[in-house]
Amino acid sequence: MPDVPGRVRRSAIIAGVLLFLVLGLPACAGREAGAEPAPGASGVAPPPEPAYRGESIPAYDVVLTIGTDGVLYVRETITYDFDRAGEHGIVRHVPFRRGDRLYEVRGVSSSSSTGAPARVRTTRFLHDVQISIGDRHREVRGRQAYVIEYEVRRVFTPRADHDDLLWDAIGTNWDVPIGNAAVRVQAPVPLRHATCRAGAPGVTTRCLRDRDGPYAIDFVQNALAPHEGMRIRVRLPKHAIAVPPPRYVPPRWTGHWTGTAVLALGLAAVPLLARRPAPPRGTGAGLAAAGTLLVVADAGDDVAASGPWAFSLGDRCLAGLALMIVGAGIMCVRRTRSARYAADDRQGGLQLAGRDVN
């Protein structure tokens, strides 16, 4: 009988050593580094350098024009200071998905009044459209100005007595501070209900109003930190513009911690299969078949409701994937061991035959 307590004890010792190496050594290194400050230093650890390395956006001007066709026309003028570090351009993240809600970002174009390369490339990544502006083979330095124009469709939300627009005008993906930000909202009807909140998600403050007019309102905000934006909310009277119905599609990953934990356990169980006795022959095929049924059942609901590209990974789908992985691992282990035993038998037979001949 194997020494189970001994194995447990050895595993605990190894885990403790690894935990000390991961958590203890960095702290000790930090204390040793701070024990002898450099000449002229006060001994207090200096603040960490900002992630943007001196880069910043001195001015960010946005014009949001609400069309009578229900399209939001966006024009952004971004003055970007690359400081002394050479970069190939800028990247603007525009959302096309928020939860189940999908927007349509179209007609992207760009230009530069300072002569910087302004070639535009768009890529969908996760929930945003990445608008890359610049040249991969040419670096720019100093202060440059870029103009980005695009359209956003299906962004208005129809209500019983009005239509809503909720839009982050500058986004929260910028890793650099913004000195002065200004957002102008223009509409074909008088803007009686328009507000702006600036700051990070969950921690915002009211924007300042610069100029008000019957059909346009200007909001300004100074000294925005990295990942802080300006969220505009406009309420239009019903039938003021044509509002197409919003489009809702479930996200691709809808699983909670339970489904994710089951999938993680399934992945962790695969290396252990090679160290354990092989389960019965039909176990692997049965688990794989059961997992396939769970995946089909979970994705079938979304496909039947919203089309073939609307499937998502829910808890049932994640559990099905875990069963499929474990079942495939069992079948692979059995096949590998069967091939090994067959090879051993052939080698043993050849050795016996050689002995008989001699």
Side-chain angles (χ1 to χ4, degrees):
M1 180 175 179
D3 186 10
V4 177
R7 292 184 179 180
V8 174
R9 191 181 302 111
R10 287 194 298 272
S11 301
I13 294 173
I14 293 173
V17 172
L18 292 176
L19 186 63
F20 172 77
L21 291 176
V22 173
L23 300 179
L25 291 183
C28 294
R31 287 194 297 269
E32 293 175 0
E36 298 180 0
S42 62
V44 180
E49 292 186 13
Y52 48 88
R53 304 185 307 278
E55 298 181 10
S56 64
I57 300 178
Y60 201 129
D61 298 324
V62 182
V63 177
L64 303 178
T65 302
I66 301 173
T68 56
D69 53 358
V71 178
L72 182 65
Y73 298 90
V74 184
R75 178 185 175 90
E76 302 181 6
T77 303
I78 304 171
T79 303
Y80 199 101
D81 191 348
F82 293 99
D83 195 45
R84 290 171 294 178
E87 298 290 347
H88 296 278
I90 62 173
V91 179
R92 169 74 164 101
H93 297 261
V94 178
F96 72 89
R97 174 191 282 277
R98 284 295 177 261
D100 292 352
R101 180 79 178 269
L102 286 183
Y103 309 125
E104 298 177 7
V105 181
R106 300 182 180 179
V108 181
S109 63
S110 65
S111 61
S112 174
S113 60
T114 56
R119 181 182 177 183
V120 62
R121 299 180 302 275
T122 60
T123 305
R124 284 197 175 194
F125 184 73
L126 296 180
H127 299 95
D128 297 333
V129 175
Q130 292 186 357
I131 303 176
S132 303
I133 303 174
D135 190 342
R136 299 175 181 175
H137 307 288
R138 178 182 169 187
E139 292 185 350
V140 292
R141 291 176 173 83
R143 185 168 296 189
Q144 305 291 338
Y146 299 92
V147 177
I148 310 174
E149 297 182 84
Y150 55 92
E151 304 172 1
V152 186
R153 301 174 183 269
R154 299 183 184 273
V155 70
F156 293 91
T157 303
R159 306 293 184 185
D161 56 348
H162 66 277
D163 296 320
D164 273 342
L165 169 65
L166 182 61
W167 187 252
D168 196 329
I170 64 178
T172 56
N173 293 96
W174 294 104
D175 296 327
V176 300
I178 300 175
N180 300 298
V183 179
R184 168 180 278 262
V185 183
Q186 302 177 161
V189 296
L191 291 171
R192 296 187 176 91
H193 303 281
T195 59
C196 172
R197 304 288 296 185
V203 182
T204 60
T205 184
R206 184 176 298 177
C207 305
L208 300 176
R209 286 201 178 194
D210 187 18
R211 290 174 296 178
D212 289 356
Y215 298 95
I217 297 178
D218 292 341
F219 298 99
V220 295
Q221 189 67 30
N222 299 327
L224 289 174
H227 305 288
E228 290 186 344
M230 295 176 66
R231 176 163 292 189
I232 306 296
R233 181 185 294 272
V234 178
R235 199 168 89 177
L236 298 175
K238 203 67 178 174
H239 307 300
I241 62 174
V243 178
R247 185 184 177 191
Y248 295 94
V249 175
R252 297 295 183 259
W253 186 284
T254 59
H256 299 85
W257 69 269
T258 52
T260 306
V262 171
L263 179 59
L265 290 176
L267 293 172
V270 173
L272 300 178
L273 296 175
R275 304 180 181 180
R276 301 294 180 184
R281 184 178 300 274
T283 303
L287 290 176
T292 303
L293 290 176
L294 280 177
V295 172
V296 172
D298 188 25
D301 297 340
D302 300 331
V303 171
S306 304
W309 300 106
F311 68 92
S312 59
L313 299 178
D315 287 335
R316 289 186 300 172
C317 189
L318 296 179
L321 289 176
L323 293 178
M324 293 172 62
I325 292 172
V326 174
I330 292 175
M331 291 188 289
C332 290
V333 168
R334 288 196 61 87
R335 187 177 297 109
T336 302
R337 290 182 179 177
S338 298
R340 186 184 304 167
Y341 294 154
D344 292 342
D345 291 342
R346 287 195 298 270
Q347 292 177 0
L350 291 175
Q351 292 175 358
L352 292 174
R355 290 176 183 173
D356 292 339
V357 171
N358 291 333

